[in-house]
C-alpha cells in the first residue's frame, strides 16, 4: 500500500481542519500543553481488525441499516465477514475506504459501478453517529472524488440521497457535487418509498475549498 499526500486549499472555518490544530502557542512561542493533539483523519483500506469498530458504528447509528441492506452487523463475527466479503476487496469496478480517525474506522466512502470506457462512477459514504459533526463526511467525499479523478481516470461521479436527508445534501454540495434532479420514489425502505436527489461532479469542475485527506491506496 502507498499513501498519497493530502492536497487542496485551506478549509473554511468550522470544518474539521479548523478544529484539529496541533495546539495553541503562547506569546513566548511555547506550545500550550493543555491542548490535546489533533486527531488524525485519513482514508485507508478496511482491515479485519476494524470489525469491532464497525459493530460499534452499526449499534450506535440506527440509520446505517439502510446503507447495508438486509445484512445484520450486530456481532463482531458478522462484521468480520462483511469486511472480508464487501468492504476490503478491491475490484476494477468498486473500491471502499475506511474513514479512519486516530486509527479507528468511523465510516466508509467508496466508488462503485466504475465504468472506465465512459469514465463514470457512483459514490457513497457514511459516518458513524458518534463521529458526526466534524466535517468528516465532506472531507472523505472530496478526497475520494480526487482519488477517482486522478488515480482511476474517471470523468463523472454521481451520488444520490433521499430528499428528506438535508445533512447528506449539504455534504454533497460542500464537496463539489452539484444537484441535477429528482428521481421520484426511487428507494423503498419498509413499505415507504422515497424520492432521491441526484448530484454529480465532473473532473473539470472547480475543486471545493476543503482540505483533502491523506489516502492510503491498495
Amino acid at each position: 500500500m502507498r499513501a498519497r499526500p493530502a492536497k487542496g486549499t485551506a478549509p473554511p472555518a468550522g470544518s474539521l481542519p479548523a478544529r484539529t490544530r496541533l495546539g495553541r502557542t503562547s506569546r513566548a512561542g511555547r506550545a500550550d500543553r493543555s491542548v490535546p493533539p489533533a486527531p488524525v483523519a485519513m482514508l485507508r483500506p478496511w482491515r479485519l481488525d476494524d470489525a469491532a469498530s464497525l459493530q460499534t458504528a452499526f449499534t450506535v447509528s440506527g440509520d446505517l441499516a439502510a446503507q447495508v441492506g438486509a445484512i445484520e452487523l450486530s456481532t463482531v463475527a458478522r462484521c468480520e465477514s462483511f469486511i472480508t466479503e464487501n468492504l476490503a476487496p478491491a475490484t476494477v469496478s468498486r473500491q471502499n475506504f475506511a474513514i479512519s480517525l486516530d486509527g479507528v474506522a468511523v465510516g466508509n466512502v467508496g466508488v462503485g459501478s466504475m465504468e472506465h470506457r465512459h469514465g463514470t462512477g457512483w459514490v457513497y459514504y457514511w459516518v458513524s453517529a458518534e463521529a458526526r459533526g466534524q466535517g468528516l463526511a465532506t472531507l472523505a467525499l472530496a478526497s475520494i472524488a480526487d482519488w477517482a479523478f486522478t488515480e482511476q481516470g474517471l470523468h463523472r461521479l454521481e451520488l444520490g440521497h433521499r430528499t428528506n436527508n438535508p445533512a447528506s445534501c449539504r455534504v454533497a454540495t460542500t464537496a463539489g457535487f452539484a444537484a441535477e434532479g429528482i428521481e421520484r420514489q426511487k428507494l423503498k425502505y419498509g413499505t415507504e418509498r422515497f424520492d432521491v436527489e441526484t448530484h454529480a461532479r465532473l473532473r473539470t469542475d472547480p475543486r471545493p475549498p476543503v482540505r483533502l485527506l491523506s489516502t492510503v491506496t491498495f
Side-chain angles (χ1 to χ4, degrees), residues 58-69:
F58 184 82
T59 301
V60 302
S61 311
D63 55 350
L64 288 190
Q67 297 282 348
V68 297

Side-chain angles (χ1 to χ4, degrees), residues 29-46:
R30 292 176 295 182
D32 183 352
R33 298 298 182 182
S34 65
V35 178
V40 178
M42 65 183 299
L43 303 183
R44 60 164 174 80
W46 281 88

Side-chain angles (χ1 to χ4, degrees), residues 4 6-9 142 145-147 149-150 173-177 201-210 212:
R4 184 161 60 85
K7 55 184 177 180
T9 57
D146 183 78
W147 173 85
F149 292 144
T150 60
T173 54
T174 306
F177 285 74
R201 181 176 160 188
L202 306 182
R203 181 168 54 188
T204 51
D205 286 341
R207 281 183 174 171
V210 299
L212 301 183

